[in-house]
Amino acid sequence: MFDLNSLLRDNIKRLVPYSSARDEFKGEARVFIDANENGFGSPLPVNYNRYPDPLQWKLKYKLADIKGVPPQNIFLGNGSDEPIDILYRAFCRPGVDNVVLCPPTYGMYEVSANINDVVIRKVSLTPEFQLDIAGLQEAIDENTKLIFICSPNNPTGNSINRADIELLLNNFDGIVVIDEAYINFSRQKSFIQELTEYPNLVVMQTLSKAWGLAALRVGMAFASEDIIHIFNKVKAPYNISQAAQELALQALDNVTQVNEWIREIVIERDLLSAAMEALPLVQQVYPSDANFILVKTIDARGIYDFLTARGIIVRDRSKVELCAGCLRITIGTPAENLELMDALKSYQPQTEKTVSA
C-alpha cells in the first residue's frame, strides 16, 4: 500500500520552508520596500529588479491548458535535473535508501544519486531495450524509494512498454518516476493523464526539446498535489527567473509552430534512419520515438572523430551499457542531415598498416 508520509525523510517532515517576501505578500501595491530589491530598476531595457513569482502561477496556468492537468499538479524546476535532485533529497536517506535505475538511461539519475549518497541498484534493460520485470522485482526491497524510467529512453530512443510501467505502478510501494523528455516525438500516450489513478506517479517533461527552449532551463514535474507540495517545500525560493518565466509564456502562445516542428522532425527522423541503414558503415539503426536515433556502426570512435574534424558533432555512446559501437545522432534540419550524410558517404575505415621486415 502506497503511503507517501512513510516514504518521506524525517527531516523533510519537520522542515519549515523558507518564506520569501513574495510568499508573504501577493497582489498589487504602490511601494514595494519589503524584499531588499533595488527600487531604481535594472541597467537593462527591461527591469528585472523585482523577485519573480516563486511558484510561477501564470506559467503553470498556461501549461495546465496545454497539458490538461490542474496547475496544482505542476512543479516547475531548473530543467528536469532539479526535480530529480529534489526527489532524492526529499525521499532518500543518505547511505540507507536505494534507487533502481535501468541502464542504458539518462546519466543524471546516477549522478544525482551519487551526490546525495543514495545506494544505486541497476537492472539493465533487455537486449530489446525493455524493462526486465523479473530483475526489477528482485532488486526492490523495503528501502527502495524510487524507480526511474525514461520513456522514450535516452540514449536508445524507444518507448518502454506501457503495460510493464503500469505493472510497476500497481505493485511498487515507492515512487515511480517516468521521464518523458521526448514524449512529443512519440506514438506513446503520456502518463500525465494517469495522475489521479496512481498516487505514486511522478511524470517529468521539459521545454528543452520540442519547444526549443533548452537555454531557458524550464523542466516540469507532474504529480499529486501532496507530492507537488513537497517539491515546493524543498526547492529554492526563486528557482525560475523572471526572464525565463516571461519567455516561456511567450513561447507557449505558439503551439501551432511547435506542432509543425514536431511533424518535420519525425519526418526527418524516418528519412535519416532509412538513409543511414543504406550505409556500409552502419550495422543497425534502432527504432526511435525521440528526436534522435541510436546507430550501431563498425567503428563508433573513428566515425565520431571523422565527423568532428569536419565540424559535425554527434554523441559517442559506444562505452554505454548495451550500446557498444553506437552513436547517438540528434535529428537536425534537412540541410544539417544532408551534410551529415554527405560526410558519412565519404568515410573510409582506417586499416592497420603492415610493417615490412
Side-chain angles (χ1 to χ4, degrees):
M1 181 70 69
F2 177 75
D3 180 4
L4 182 62
N5 195 58
S6 69
L7 294 176
L8 201 59
R9 288 174 58 184
D10 288 338
N11 63 307
I12 303 300
K13 294 177 187 176
R14 298 189 300 267
L15 178 66
V16 178
Y18 177 78
S19 181
S20 72
R22 293 300 167 260
D23 284 314
E24 295 171 10
F25 176 81
K26 299 178 179 68
E28 300 297 327
R30 290 187 303 105
V31 179
F32 282 95
I33 49 175
D34 60 336
N36 300 337
E37 301 155 331
N38 184 342
F40 290 92
S42 304
L44 295 168
V46 177
N47 279 335
Y48 288 109
N49 57 319
R50 301 299 182 187
Y51 286 108
D53 175 4
L55 294 176
Q56 312 97 23
W57 282 115
K58 287 184 179 179
L59 190 50
K60 286 179 181 177
Y61 275 104
K62 196 80 167 274
L63 283 166
D65 288 338
I66 294 171
K67 299 293 183 179
V69 296
Q72 294 82 5
N73 293 97
I74 303 174
F75 172 82
L76 298 180
N78 182 359
S80 296
D81 299 330
E82 184 177 6
I84 291 170
D85 181 63
I86 289 176
L87 284 162
Y88 284 117
R89 287 191 284 145
F91 295 105
C92 297
R93 295 167 295 174
V96 176
D97 292 326
N98 66 75
V99 59
V100 176
L101 308 181
C102 302
T105 192
Y106 180 45
M108 274 305 297
Y109 311 145
E110 181 171 354
V111 171
S112 193
N114 288 329
I115 290 171
N116 287 283
D117 192 22
V118 175
V119 178
I120 298 168
R121 295 186 174 178
K122 295 183 179 181
V123 180
S124 299
L125 296 177
T126 68
E128 294 75 34
F129 301 142
Q130 292 296 328
L131 297 178
D132 176 359
I133 294 298
L136 286 168
Q137 291 172 334
E138 187 175 338
I140 293 167
D141 65 13
E142 66 275 7
N143 290 327
T144 305
K145 296 295 185 68
L146 307 169
I147 300 174
F148 280 92
I149 300 169
C150 190
S151 182
N153 187 43
N154 177 12
T156 60
N158 64 294
S159 294
I160 302 299
N161 186 295
R162 191 178 187 89
D164 289 344
I165 298 175
E166 290 171 345
L167 184 67
L168 289 176
L169 285 165
N170 284 310
N171 292 280
F172 177 52
D173 292 335
I175 294 173
V176 178
V177 187
I178 306 175
D179 187 345
E180 295 185 343
Y182 302 95
I183 194 67
N184 297 97
F185 309 100
S186 175
R187 305 173 187 89
Q188 189 179 71
K189 177 184 172 185
S190 170
F191 268 91
I192 61 173
Q193 304 304 326
E194 313 298 327
L195 294 177
T196 56
E197 187 172 347
Y198 300 111
N200 59 334
L201 171 63
V202 174
V203 179
M204 298 190 303
Q205 294 185 6
T206 181
L207 297 182
S208 294
K209 311 301 181 184
W211 286 89
L213 301 178
L216 295 190
R217 310 307 304 128
V218 180
M220 299 168 280
F222 304 86
S224 69
E225 287 190 45
D226 289 338
I227 292 178
I228 296 300
H229 173 72
I230 293 166
F231 273 94
N232 289 331
K233 187 177 182 180
V234 175
K235 79 174 184 71
Y238 303 110
N239 61 324
I240 306 290
S241 73
Q242 181 65 29
Q245 291 186 45
E246 291 174 358
L247 290 169
L249 277 167
Q250 292 178 36
L252 293 178
D253 285 330
N254 296 286
V255 175
T256 301
Q257 173 66 81
V258 172
N259 285 338
E260 179 57 34
W261 283 336
I262 293 169
R263 284 191 290 270
E264 290 185 26
I265 288 169
V266 169
I267 290 170
E268 285 296 314
R269 182 185 70 199
D270 294 343
L271 291 172
L272 185 60
S273 295
M276 283 279 179
E277 287 175 341
L279 294 175
L281 56 84
V282 170
Q283 296 178 328
Q284 185 173 0
V285 178
Y286 294 95
S288 175
D289 277 341
N291 68 335
F292 61 84
I293 54 176
L294 187 70
V295 181
K296 186 175 180 63
T297 69
I298 60 173
D299 179 14
R301 193 66 207 181
I303 295 168
Y304 174 86
D305 292 339
F306 173 83
L307 291 173
T308 298
R310 285 152 182 79
I312 302 171
I313 311 302
V314 298
R315 196 83 185 268
D316 181 2
R317 301 281 78 187
S318 59
K319 296 187 184 306
V320 174
E321 186 173 350
L322 297 180
C323 295
C326 288
L327 299 173
R328 194 194 70 188
I329 301 173
T330 304
I331 308 304
T333 65
E336 289 172 333
N337 297 335
L338 181 61
E339 185 173 352
L340 169 67
M341 288 303 303
D342 286 343
L344 290 175
K345 288 174 184 177
S346 67
Y347 174 76
Q348 296 294 326
Q350 296 296 312
T351 57
E352 295 185 7
K353 296 180 179 179
T354 58
V355 180
S356 55

